[in-house]
Every structure is written in structure tokens, then in C-alpha cells.
Amino acid sequence: MKKVVYSISRFSKFGNTKMTGVGFITDKDLIIACVSQKGNPYIRVFEDCVKDCHPVAGKEGEFKGAHYEIREIEVETKNGSGEFTGYDKREIEIEYSVWYKLV
């Protein structure tokens, strides 16, 4: 594992989120420490993220790229009169902009 400084941005119609800090990379994954909205710490792994990143021109040890994840979510379903009929599962694609520099 190698130590890195990272910046990960997620752009969506609900707003932008950005995570920065110190993490680690393996041959394939970027591993970072996070804190949930409730204040609980956890480890976040961006799987196969390193293969999607390319070296930044003119900057030694810096890499950037885009990483995509597909997640399954549940959404409420309603009939024509607006009454709740249950839940439906859908897959959504999330795009992250990844930058990291080897320390």
C-alpha cells in the first residue's frame, strides 16, 4: 500500500460533495477513512479506481480520472390516484472525479 493525498468529487442534481484527505492505494483500490452523518467512522473503498486514473501532465506522482459505481436503490411506487403501492428497486450510476498524489 502507498500513502496518498486525495480529492474525490461527486456531482449530482442535488448538489456537489467533495472529500479530501490522506488515504492509501493498493494495486487496484483507493482506501479512505470517512465519518458517517451520525458520526460513526468507517472505511470507504473505491474498487478498481486506480486503473481509471492517468498521470497528470507535468506533475510527478499525480493522477486523476473518473470512477463510476452502480448502486441499487429503492423508490416508492404510487398508483394513478397517488396512493402508495410499495417499493421498486432501480439501479443508478454515480460518477466520481478522482485526484490523488503519492506522498
Side-chain angles (χ1 to χ4, degrees):
M1 278 209 267
K2 298 176 185 174
K3 194 173 191 178
V4 295
V5 175
Y6 70 87
S7 173
I8 299 174
S9 301
R10 177 178 155 200
F11 305 102
S12 69
K13 63 182 178 181
F14 303 113
N16 302 335
T17 57
K18 186 174 185 178
M19 299 179 285
T20 59
V22 177
F24 297 93
I25 59 168
T26 63
D27 292 335
K28 302 185 306 179
D29 306 331
L30 174 63
I31 303 166
I32 63 174
C34 296
V35 178
S36 71
Q37 291 178 348
K38 294 181 180 180
N40 299 327
Y42 66 98
I43 301 295
R44 175 81 191 263
V45 178
F46 289 91
E47 295 179 357
D48 293 331
C49 170
V50 174
K51 72 175 181 171
D52 298 327
C53 296
H54 58 276
V56 176
K59 307 256 182 155
E60 188 174 331
E62 286 189 31
F63 299 85
K64 70 177 180 178
H67 176 68
Y68 300 91
E69 288 183 357
I70 295 178
R71 292 213 182 146
E72 189 174 274
I73 61 168
E74 288 186 349
V75 292
E76 289 184 359
T77 55
K78 297 180 181 182
N79 60 15
S81 61
E83 296 175 359
F84 173 75
T85 58
Y87 292 97
D88 187 23
K89 291 185 179 184
R90 295 183 184 169
E91 288 186 347
I92 60 169
E93 183 179 64
I94 302 171
E95 178 184 357
Y96 296 96
S97 174
V98 178
W99 171 90
Y100 65 89
K101 181 178 181 177
L102 299 172
V103 179

